[in-house]
Structure formats: structure tokens, C-alpha cells
């Protein structure tokens, strides 16, 4: 794509480790650039194979459907190729190889790596040792920055703007990495935040302190009915796999569920997002509401990741 503005140029050759690493101008430049990759906006006209001959590594040490396949789809649609694994037990990890060694090896096979890993900080470590861009596809309960970019894109395209919104986050505020990434990225914008979740699944203290210091913690409530008016409701799955004690999961697993009736008081303009997968926290009767955006979100994942890969790997300039 021609005409790449300066803020978008800043993506060239860069790792994407945390949503906090990007300025407001850079985030907006990516969201603007992504429109050109949106099949709806471009009338489904084919894009030039700008990443032909480039290879994306996909190293997934944790389960994934959307993140892995949408990166794969994005790379293939731009004419590039992919390699990697989706089950670390089939890699030399099972023989005891360290993450650092794996990265040092795989960087010789590709031009950028998407890494999903259960350990917080794994992407930062990989980015420090790698000579190619590392894209964090989720590191433990810490960050999921490319999900945040597609969440912001989805909200902006649906609501027309990011400023002026009241955004509620509901569910697993403690372990949900998509919540952590998105809440901190929203600090760039003039939004009111509201956090809805049980007492033992509240935000981690470092993020809570950051939001508080910025005067943006907003309200923290246990029940959706106490949240007040909302423009966006960002639902999350209770992250069963991150609970040290399975009994704690049992206590909250059915506590956070919305259905059409529960959303009625928020009016027809409410936008409901969810990074997916859902378990039972969003009833299927919500799916037909015009504001139910979670399947649109998954499609936007390809759009935004195409823009990101093209900018990082230089196909866009
Ligand atoms: C999320 C994740 O892996 O953090 N999924 C995704 O990437 N869309 C959310 C989740 O697993 O609950």
C-alpha cells in the first residue's frame, strides 16, 4: 500500500510485545491503515501479494484457534508463507529446550515470529534475544496486544470513535490478558472504564495502580446491574487454566453470564465484545443482537493482522 504516514512507518521491523509500547498516534495509524485491508471497505478486491517470499513463524505453546489461524490467514492473503507448531509437545520443548534456544533457532527460518506462551514476560524475553520482530500472541495472563488492536478497530468502526465511550469489562479481570492489554491501551483515549467481576477476580494490582494513578480506574462493581450506562461491554471467559486452585474456579464458573434479558436495560446501541472462545458467559440468544460484535471481531482479526504484518515486514511501504 502506498502513502504510509510517519506513525505507521514506526512499525517497520518492530516487535509487538505490549499494547503499552505504542503511542496513541501509532495505534491510530494502524487502525487507519487496517481499513485498506478490510474486505468490506475494499469491496473484496484482491490485494497485491506484498509479502510474497516472506515467512511468518507461529510458535504456540498454548492452545489457540483465532490468534494462530487469523495470523496464518493474514500472512497467506498477503502472499507470504507460514511455518511453526501449535502443539509444543511436538517440538523440542518436550526434550527440554529453552525458549531462548528455540527462538534463536527459529529466527533463522522466518522473518517474524508470533509467540504464544504460558509464561508472563516470555514475549519480552524472546524480543530481547531475537534479531527479527516478535509478535506477542499472549503471554500468560499478562498481555495480548494484537487482540487489543483488533478490539480497538472493532469498537472504532462500530461506534465511530473511541473517545467519549463508557466501556465495561466483565468476567475474569484478574487473569484475562485481553482485559489487561485493552484497558491500558484505552488510557490513550477519553473513555470511562467500569470493571465488573467477583471480588477474587479483580484487576491485578499493578494495572489497578496504573489506572488509578491516571485517574481512570472508574468504578469497580460485582454485578452488571450496578454498572450504570455502558456503550461497550467487553465480556471475558473465566480463565480456568490459570486458577491455582480448581475449587476457586468452581465457585465463579457460573457467576458471570449475560443473556438478552440482562442486556435489555442497556438499550439497543450497546456493543458487546468478547475475544472468544466463550464457554457459557454469553448466551447464544445475544448473538442476533445488532450490537453483538464478537464474530465481527474475529474477522477484524485478519484485517488488523494483515495491516500489522504488512507494516512490520515492510510490504506496506
Ligand atoms: C483469548 C486469549 O487467548 O487470551 N483468546 C483469543 O486470543 N482470542 C481469550 C481467552 O482465551 O479467553
Amino acid at each position: 500500500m502506498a502513502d504510509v504516514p510517519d506513525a505507521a512507518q514506526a512499525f517497520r521491523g518492530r516487535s509487538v510485545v505490549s499494547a503499552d509500547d505504542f503511542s496513541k498516534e501509532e495505534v491510530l495509524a494502524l487502525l487507519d491503515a487496517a481499513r485498506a485491508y478490510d474486505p468490506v471497505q475494499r469491496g473484496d478486491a484482491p490485494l497485491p501479494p506484498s509479502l510474497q517470499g516472506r515467512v511468518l513463524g507461529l510458535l504456540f505453546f498454548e492452545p489457540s484457534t483465532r490468534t494462530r489461524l487469523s495470523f496464518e490467514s493474514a500472512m497467506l492473503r498477503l502472499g507470504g508463507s507460514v511455518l511453526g507448531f501449535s502443539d509444543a509437545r511436538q517440538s523440542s520443548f518436550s526434550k527440554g529446550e529453552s525458549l531462548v534456544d528455540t527462538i534463536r533457532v527459529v529466527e533463522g527460518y522466518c522473518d517474524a515470529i508470533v509467540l504464544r506462551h504460558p509464561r508472563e514476560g516470555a514475549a519480552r524475553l524472546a524480543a530481547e534475544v531475537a534479531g527479527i520482530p516478535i509478535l506477542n500472541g499472549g503471554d500468560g495472563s499478562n498481555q495480548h496486544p494484537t487482540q487489543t488492536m483488533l478490539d480497538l478497530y472493532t469498537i472504532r468502526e462500530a461506534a465511530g470513535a473511541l473517545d467519549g465511550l463508557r466501556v465495561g469489562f466483565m468476567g475474569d479481570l484478574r487473569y484475562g490478558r485481553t482485559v489487561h492489554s485493552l484497558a491500558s491501551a484505552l488510557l490513550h483515549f477519553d473513555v470511562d472504564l467500569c470493571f465488573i467481576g467477583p471480588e477474587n477476580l479483580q484487576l491485578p494490582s499493578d494495572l489497578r495502580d496504573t489506572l488509578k494513578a491516571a485517574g481512570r480506574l472508574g468504578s469497580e462493581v460485582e454485578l452488571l446491574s450496578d454498572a450504570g450506562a455502558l456503550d461497550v461491554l467487553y465480556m471475558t471467559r473465566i480463565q480456568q487454566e490459570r486458577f491455582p486452585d480448581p475449587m476457586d474456579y468452581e465457585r465463579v464458573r457460573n457467576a458471570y453470564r449475560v443473556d438478552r434479558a440482562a442486556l435489555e436495560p442497556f438499550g439497543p446501541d450497546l456493543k458487546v465484545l468478547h475475544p472468544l472462545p466463550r464457554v457459557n458467559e454469553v448466551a447464544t440468544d445475544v448473538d442476533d443482537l445488532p450490537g453483538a460484535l464478537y464474530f465481527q471481531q474475529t474477522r477484524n482479526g485478519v484485517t488488523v493482522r494483515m495491516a500489522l504484518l504488512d507494516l512490520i515486514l515492510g510490504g506496506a511501504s
Side-chain angles (χ1 to χ4, degrees), residues 86-208:
S86 53
D87 179 355
R89 285 169 307 181
Q90 303 296 326
S91 76
S92 287
F93 167 74
S94 62
K95 300 179 188 171
E97 184 168 61
S98 69
L99 174 64
V100 167
D101 281 2
T102 303
I103 294 292
R104 285 198 172 128
V105 170
V106 176
E107 71 171 320
Y109 304 155
C110 52
D111 301 296
I113 292 174
V114 183
L115 174 70
R116 171 170 286 189
H117 200 279
R119 196 157 16 108
E120 297 193 8
R124 181 78 65 199
L125 174 68
E128 277 163 17
V129 299
I132 60 172
I134 299 292
L135 289 83
N136 185 2
D139 61 325
S141 53
N142 186 32
Q143 278 273 322
H144 195 346
T146 68
Q147 177 73 41
T148 292
M149 306 296 185
L150 75 91
D151 293 341
L152 292 172
Y153 182 82
T154 304
I155 297 170
R156 191 166 79 143
E157 294 306 301
L162 290 162
D163 289 324
L165 300 175
R166 186 153 194 273
V167 181
F169 289 89
M170 175 159 159
D172 195 338
L173 310 174
R174 180 173 181 184
Y175 297 115
R177 55 194 172 197
T178 62
V179 173
H180 306 158
S181 280
L182 181 57
S184 53
L186 282 172
L187 282 176
H188 288 314
F189 301 95
D190 180 21
V191 293
D192 274 342
L193 302 179
C194 173
F195 297 94
I196 308 143
E199 209 189 332
N200 58 342
L201 292 182
Q202 293 300 321
L203 291 173
S205 54
D206 55 343
L207 176 57
R208 204 172 171 277

Side-chain angles (χ1 to χ4, degrees), residues 63-64 66-67 116 137 144 147 177-178 237 239 241-242 274-277 305:
S64 173
R66 278 145 288 270
T67 304
R116 171 170 286 189
H144 195 346
Q147 177 73 41
R177 55 194 172 197
T178 62
R237 174 179 69 88
Q239 309 277 298
E241 68 277 27
R242 312 237 185 261
H274 190 313
L276 301 180
R305 286 171 174 132

Side-chain angles (χ1 to χ4, degrees), residues 203-225:
L203 291 173
S205 54
D206 55 343
L207 176 57
R208 204 172 171 277
D209 291 349
T210 304
L211 295 171
K212 202 168 180 186
R216 306 286 288 284
L217 182 58
S219 54
E220 295 176 285
V221 297
E222 290 207 27
L223 298 174
L224 182 62
S225 50

Side-chain angles (χ1 to χ4, degrees), residues 241-256:
E241 68 277 27
R242 312 237 185 261
F243 279 68
D245 181 351
M247 284 313 293
D248 285 342
Y249 172 71
E250 288 306 320
R251 274 191 276 277
V252 288
R253 62 182 291 187
N254 291 318
Y256 282 82

Side-chain angles (χ1 to χ4, degrees), residues 20-21 35 45 55 101 104 131 164 167 180 188 230 233 244 298 311:
D20 303 334
D21 297 343
R35 285 204 179 118
V55 180
D101 281 2
R104 285 198 172 128
V167 181
H180 306 158
H188 288 314
L230 293 174
L233 177 63
T298 66
L311 288 172

